[in-house]
Amino acid sequence: MQTTLDKLKKKLLQPEVKQPVTEQIKERARTSIIAKLKQGREDVARRDAERKQRPMKKHEQEL
């Protein structure tokens, strides 16, 4: 078990293997973050639309 781990670690730390793997991880993380930001914007837009649709009470009205 330990020798397999050492072999895998040695292989992944080689520069020609490490660079593409690192780039792939960055791309996946970037798309995940962009998707979460998009979802957050949609949630905010939906909440704003709901807030504007409900009737305002007299004490909530802006002056």
Side-chain angles (χ1 to χ4, degrees):
M1 182 72 158
Q2 187 64 26
T3 59
T4 306
L5 183 62
D6 290 336
K7 288 178 186 177
L8 185 62
K9 193 186 307 183
K10 184 183 279 187
K11 182 71 174 172
L12 287 175
L13 289 176
Q14 292 176 352
E16 60 272 2
V17 175
K18 184 178 179 181
Q19 184 64 29
V21 171
T22 304
E23 291 298 321
Q24 186 179 18
I25 290 171
K26 285 181 183 178
E27 280 300 315
R28 286 184 182 169
R30 195 173 296 136
T31 56
S32 174
I33 291 170
I34 291 171
K36 286 181 182 179
L37 287 172
K38 183 179 178 183
Q39 181 65 36
R41 286 189 205 119
E42 291 172 355
D43 289 343
V44 168
R46 181 183 45 79
R47 278 188 258 137
D48 285 344
E50 289 174 357
R51 188 178 327 139
K52 289 178 182 178
Q53 287 179 353
R54 68 182 173 107
M56 296 183 82
K57 296 179 181 172
K58 193 167 194 168
H59 70 277
E60 291 178 341
Q61 290 179 348
E62 295 180 17
L63 298 175

